[in-house]
Amino acid sequence: MVSSKDVAKYAGVSQTTVSRVVNTPHLVKEPTYRKVMAAIDELNYIPDGNARSLVQKKSDTIALISGPLYNPFFVETTTSIVNYANENGFKINVHFSNDENIEEIYNAIFEKKVDGIILSSVLLEDPVFEKLEKSGIPFILYNRKHENNKNFVEMDNEQAGYLATDYLFSLNHKEICWIGGPTEMSTFKGRYDGFLKAFQQNNAAINPEKIFIGKTSKENLYQTFLKVEELSEKPTAICAATDAIAIQMMDFYISAGYKVPEDISIIGIDNVKIGQHASINLTTVGISSPIDLGRIAIEKLIKMIQQQNKPCVQITEAVRLFERKTIIKKKKEA
Amino acid sequence: MVSSKDVAKYAGVSQTTVSRVVNTPHLVKEPTYRKVMAAIDELNYIPDGNARSLVQKKSDTIALISGPLYNPFFVETTTSIVNYANENGFKINVHFSNDENIEEIYNAIFEKKVDGIILSSVLLEDPVFEKLEKSGIPFILYNRKHENNKNFVEMDNEQAGYLATDYLFSLNHKEICWIGGPTEMSTFKGRYDGFLKAFQQNNAAINPEKIFIGKTSKENLYQTFLKVEELSEKPTAICAATDAIAIQMMDFYISAGYKVPEDISIIGIDNVKIGQHASINLTTVGISSPIDLGRIAIEKLIKMIQQQNKPCVQITEAVRLFERKTIIKKKKEA
DNA sequence: TAAAAAAATGGTTACGTAACCATTTAACTA
DNA sequence: TAGTTAAATGGTTACGTAACCATTTTTTTA
């Protein structure tokens, strides 16, 4: 491996000067600069990022802990986070969390000297939050938040759940299923609370049989689908806590011979891109802003890093309904 | 920042012993081990990965250069690559390439001491290949390959193009559009060659007006869609070089009021998961193996790293047709 | 129980870089 | 032109770790 010392010897200057050519060329005379650059090219020198990080205690790297990509929401946020960071001179270390490998991920992150952390995978009462704060590394949560309400960029989850559910009521749906993930996560908790609120405001009674809260893997959702099928009184509409869930349920229903929305109405939350596809046309609730949550969060994080201050970011984006074609209007009952 | 020296002092042992407790605990007596571990916990010590990489000249890290996630193919390969690597003790540094930011990506990769590189973004005649070989770092290409036919895991692209096109012919389609990316990429070249071969074998003449080769961004594909619309003789079927293209074209067609496959048949290549969704049901060609190309490639790469040898991996996976519902059988003309 | 072997621990060093301070060289200034 | 200041370059060090070799302690063996 060619080091700056090798370059220095080859060019007949000191290692210090090589370092200057690489990092602060304006401090170096033109002929010296050319001499050193020639040596760098000749020897194919590439600075060692590890050594640099060691001495500088920073890495121009941000760690991203994203949810799994089978949820298209994270496909979009990951893309926009990576792109924005790169445009601003930061590299991104992406980690995909399934909420089980969190421990390893944090080890990996803290071992490298990342300049910041942007993450979604956090529980409302997650003890890891304290660890993050103690580490002193700037960080921000996107999508989900922690119960202590610090450093997050989220959508108005309760309002989202409310809007989705209320929209179903407005189209005369009464028998509504809720399918969502564990309420230990702020997204699911907020959205479910909104769902409940809509029932209250519409003077409707919750039927516990129609509430499905559990893991959101394909297998689990299929079990849920089967349970819904077995209900004596089937729902006319499904309120899914995320578009990913909604799209998966659509798949089950259509594969089983049902028609959406004629046989069953489905609404999601997130306003994911693939839901806008003409073949899917998922009615959903999402943020009004054209910029996604990941992008908003990474902007804030980079500002925190560059300005070396750590304000408490608290952003709750407003949401609105996106009417598309997976909901049908029911006839009013007598 | 707490270092191993701090731990050593606190525990009353040498730094060397701390290092041993962390890396080779069997070389350390039980009471010493406990003493040091207590100190580690107490002081919240985390080894510095940069310093470690510096001295060890390795990082247990593999760089992944993936195509953009708006292509669902890369969503799946990225997921399986990251998961498999993590299961085997490697971290993954993901980079998303748009074939333009390649330079920066390579800089970033070579600055850190990655143990291996797995990449898709390479052109047939890419000069970067030589750079890779010279670096001495084990690497493997997945999806695409280089003209020199070294170190790749691909599908049988020509056969894929052939099967897709021949299937259209077998259902009496004559007016077939090809929509694909630049043939500087082995995938597009191979698939297009297969397309041509199918025309030959079916004694059909290529109509240059119906060949669209260019960038595969949404905007470009929309321009292509408009051009197809303006053709005096419209195609009855579209052979898309990738599922991503096919799914995008479906969106344009359906949004414009067409029905797929009644008004236009569409076939893709890749057998991407979202294409299997009941709302899309994209007929396509994909590898017969249930394990995706990324997964196959990362397995090989990790073997190369662990066994410290660099065999020339050349894998071309067999493909087959996946009949679904975006193709209609045409009536035979008189 | 003394000698030999094995196990456990410690001391010193290199890894490649940038920070820091020292020195030399060039450019002004009076 | 000497004196002063600024610009350019060099020398030395620390960063935190594991490799390597040296030393001490323990265990085994005769």
Side-chain angles (χ1 to χ4, degrees), chain B residues 11-14 16-22 24-38:
Chain B
V13 298
S14 70
T16 306
T17 295
V18 175
S19 175
R20 267 191 285 257
V21 166
V22 173
T24 52
H26 60 282
L27 293 181
V28 131
K29 257 194 179 169
E30 177 63 21
T32 316
Y33 178 84
R34 280 204 305 273
K35 216 168 35 174
V36 173
M37 281 308 279

Side-chain angles (χ1 to χ4, degrees), chain B residues 31-71:
Chain B
T32 316
Y33 178 84
R34 280 204 305 273
K35 216 168 35 174
V36 173
M37 281 308 279
I40 286 177
D41 286 347
E42 191 61 37
L43 301 180
N44 235 305
Y45 166 68
I46 296 167
D48 184 312
N50 295 120
R52 176 184 284 159
S53 290
L54 177 59
V55 66
Q56 297 201 127
K57 292 161 184 280
K58 62 161 195 157
S59 56
D60 291 333
T61 298
I62 291 170
L64 162 61
I65 309 179
S66 168
L69 294 181
Y70 62 71
N71 182 342

Side-chain angles (χ1 to χ4, degrees), chain A residues 82-308:
Chain A
V82 169
N83 288 344
Y84 185 82
N86 286 345
E87 284 164 17
N88 286 273
F90 286 89
K91 299 151 211 154
I92 293 274
N93 266 9
V94 194
H95 303 260
F96 297 109
S97 162
N98 48 27
D99 287 308
E100 278 162 29
N101 55 349
I102 276 285
E103 199 67 23
E104 304 155 37
I105 291 177
Y106 279 101
N107 280 343
I109 288 178
F110 288 130
E111 284 194 358
K112 302 285 177 177
K113 297 281 163 286
V114 297
D115 299 346
I117 304 175
I118 177 168
L119 70 160
S120 172
S121 307
V122 79
L123 304 178
L124 270 165
E125 306 184 8
D126 210 317
V128 91
F129 194 91
E130 205 189 342
K131 242 190 187 171
L132 278 171
E133 282 195 307
K134 275 209 307 195
S135 78
I137 302 173
F139 71 94
I140 197 160
L141 311 174
Y142 70 99
N143 192 36
R144 298 195 207 157
K145 72 175 178 183
H146 189 263
E147 59 177 350
N148 68 9
N149 276 323
K150 282 186 193 161
N151 282 1
F152 62 87
V153 177
E154 60 165 8
M155 73 166 68
D156 189 336
N157 286 301
E158 185 175 330
Q159 181 68 2
Y162 175 80
L163 280 184
T165 314
D166 192 59
Y167 179 63
L168 294 175
F169 277 115
S170 77
L171 297 183
N172 303 319
H173 288 272
K174 298 260 159 58
E175 299 303 325
I176 303 173
C177 249
W178 172 260
I179 304 181
T183 50
E184 285 91 55
M185 302 170 196
S186 67
T187 44
F188 291 125
K189 169 141 192 353
R191 293 170 191 189
Y192 182 57
D193 286 348
F195 173 81
L196 296 179
K197 188 176 150 198
F199 265 71
Q200 246 179 359
Q201 299 233 347
N202 285 278
N203 295 314
I206 296 277
N207 180 350
E209 272 195 327
K210 294 211 171 65
I211 306 295
F212 297 90
I213 290 179
K215 286 191 181 170
T216 56
S217 70
K218 182 173 177 177
E219 295 70 31
N220 277 289
L221 289 177
Y222 188 64
Q223 293 307 315
T224 300
F225 170 72
L226 293 180
K227 281 183 203 151
V228 176
E229 280 290 272
E230 281 169 10
L231 289 176
S232 52
E233 186 185 43
K234 293 197 186 164
T236 61
I238 287 184
C239 191
T242 66
D243 282 0
I245 296 172
I247 290 170
Q248 185 61 71
M249 294 307 293
M250 271 182 82
D251 190 23
F252 293 142
Y253 271 106
I254 298 172
S255 297
Y258 292 91
K259 282 206 158 49
V260 177
E262 292 81 359
D263 300 324
I264 180 95
S265 288
I266 299 184
I267 191 168
I269 297 177
D270 273 341
N271 191 25
V272 132
K273 279 213 186 85
I274 187 68
Q276 300 169 31
H277 191 281
S279 298
I280 295 184
N281 250 317
L282 177 67
T283 298
T284 188
V285 174
I287 59 175
S288 313
S289 151
I291 299 177
D292 71 83
L293 295 178
R295 167 65 185 266
I296 297 172
I298 188 69
E299 279 183 32
K300 295 289 176 196
L301 179 62
I302 287 180
K303 255 187 206 145
M304 283 163 77
I305 294 171
Q306 287 172 338
Q307 302 177 356
Q308 308 217 2

